[in-house]
Amino acid sequence: MTPELPTAQPDPTSSDGVGNPFGAVPALDGELRFDQAALEAAATDFGGLVHQQPAAVLRPGSAEDVAAMVRHCRERGLKVAGRGQGHSTNGQAQVPSGLVVELGSLNTIEIHEDTAVVGSGVVWSDLVRASMSHGLTPPAFTDYLELSVGGTLSAGGLGGQIVRHGRQVDNVLEVQVVTGEGEIKTCSATVHPDLFRAVLGGLGQCGIITRATLSLVPAPDSVRHYVLTYSTVEAMTAQQAVLAQDGRFDYLVGQALPTPDGWTYMIEAASYDGTAADDARLTDDLEPATVEAQDVPYFDFLNRLAPAVEAFKGMGEWQRPHPWYDSFLPASTVNAVVTKTLAGLKPGALGATAVVLLYPVLTAKCRTPLPVMPDGDLVYLFSLLKTASPGADSAEEMVAANRDQHDTTREAGGRWYPIGSVPLTQDDWVHHFGSFWDEFRTARHRYDPDGILTPGQRIF
Ligand SMILES: Cc1cc2nc3c(=O)[nH]c(=O)nc-3n(C[C@H](O)[C@H](O)[C@H](O)COP(=O)(O)OP(=O)(O)OC[C@H]3O[C@@H](n4cnc5c(N)ncnc54)[C@H](O)[C@@H]3O)c2cc1C
């Protein structure tokens, strides 16, 4: 990863096309920023691996602003990407010498009877706070709530509700999108369905999402939260398979946790509005090594990573490079891949505050084509969320290991969840999209014919 930091400062007052590649810009409801602070902020992300500075940053006041600037950039051969919270790990929202559209200014939230209509820059914590005041909640979350709606809908949006409700992209009724031609289009399963299918989980390749209509369901008041431990990966994944398929829990995830002697395995499960009276029914036939249960208010349950995030910030770990790797593995190969991967990790391979996620996904709940899943009714998310901590492997070493892990995933019939830090070839992407590649490429050519959108994904 070679950092690119253009040194030329665009002159916002110039319209000669030399100092300022944008020239005279259209009138805007929001603001176009050329100052160094705005440019530098848009040249960073959570991964801290790639630093590519744009020539300008748009803080739109409306979807029309986004459309006007996309048209303007297209005429001038400049590239454009949306940015939500910048929690990408490999420069996916960056645009060297182009335009970054910071969508945080599109942050309206309207709560209706069973839907929310939101600006794409809204973060999930704000949305759920607003919906809970109406007794409602989005059905599916990521396990960290400070991500933007547009950012997670562009990736997929996975969390423990996946066994009940699928991914966040599976709970979208309609999106408003600015295409690469600078047109504002509203799409759904029945209106411009090709755009809808290519935008949800579509990594910003066919449009910038400006607004989304999301389904809402009744919110529980509290959650009965269970922590179950297992001594082997086989025991945990077998238990997860049963729990995913019998549907007794509303939420189901898992982790591998390092011990002085190796690894232990932990399922977190939750029953919405459950109480201690449900414990026997929900856990008596299970075979964990240990069981803990507690009642937690619903929002605190959704937001339970927040204290750890604050602690990581205090330790400086949050600010360090994060070369993440995330994959989906078929049920038939998950145990072998996880066992081999964890056994092969040398000290320092993951960093001091890494998290290793391992949890089941029912593909029947995944109703949109993206993100792509492996074949099979049951697959597993396997994530190595690394931090290049002091004394650990370097960020570059971790990225190289991610590439090896990607090859292992591919050989095992898996797919990657494209939010991480892996150097990929065009062949990798074609293989990744599999049978959806032709449809995806056709949508890209139709909706972004000049290929100006979201170059940081490095797909086309
Ligand atoms: C701490 C942390 C926890 C995470 N937890 C989870 C999790 O539990 N589950 C999960 O599924 N993922 C998780 N992720 C990954 C996360 O969902 C993705 O990286 C997501 O894209 C980040 O959202 P963002 O708003 O920061 O997007 P950004 O990083 O700003 O953008 C991500 C990509 O989407 C594009 N994009 C952003 N907004 C739009 C838009 N409105 N329209 C079109 N394209 C757009 C950008 O150009 C870029 O390519 C986590 C990431 C971090 C750092």
Side-chain angles (χ1 to χ4, degrees), residues 405-419:
Q405 191 67 30
H406 184 78
D407 294 340
T408 301
T409 301
R410 187 168 163 170
E411 281 161 24
R415 291 282 197 274
W416 86 302
Y417 179 34
I419 62 168

Side-chain angles (χ1 to χ4, degrees), residues 44-47 80-89 91-95 100-101 103 106 119-124 141-160 167-168 176-178 199 202-211 305 309 318 322 324 326 328 357 359 381 385 417-420 453-457:
T44 62
D45 59 30
F46 182 78
V80 186
R83 175 183 166 100
Q85 288 294 306
H87 279 68
S88 300
T89 63
Q92 287 94 332
Q94 297 176 24
V95 193
V100 167
V101 181
L103 291 147
L106 299 185
S120 62
V122 165
V123 294
W124 289 93
F141 288 90
T142 49
D143 278 326
Y144 176 61
L145 300 184
E146 307 310 321
L147 305 167
S148 76
V149 167
T152 68
L153 295 187
S154 299
L158 275 66
R167 307 153 301 184
Q168 289 178 325
Q176 182 193 65
V177 170
V178 173
V199 160
L203 306 173
Q205 299 303 295
C206 297
I208 296 177
I209 301 169
T210 44
R211 193 179 68 209
L305 290 191
V309 168
W318 200 251
H322 292 96
W324 281 13
D326 305 80
F328 298 109
L357 296 175
Y359 64 78
L381 177 81
L385 307 182
Y417 179 34
I419 62 168
L453 294 179
T454 323
Q457 297 282 2

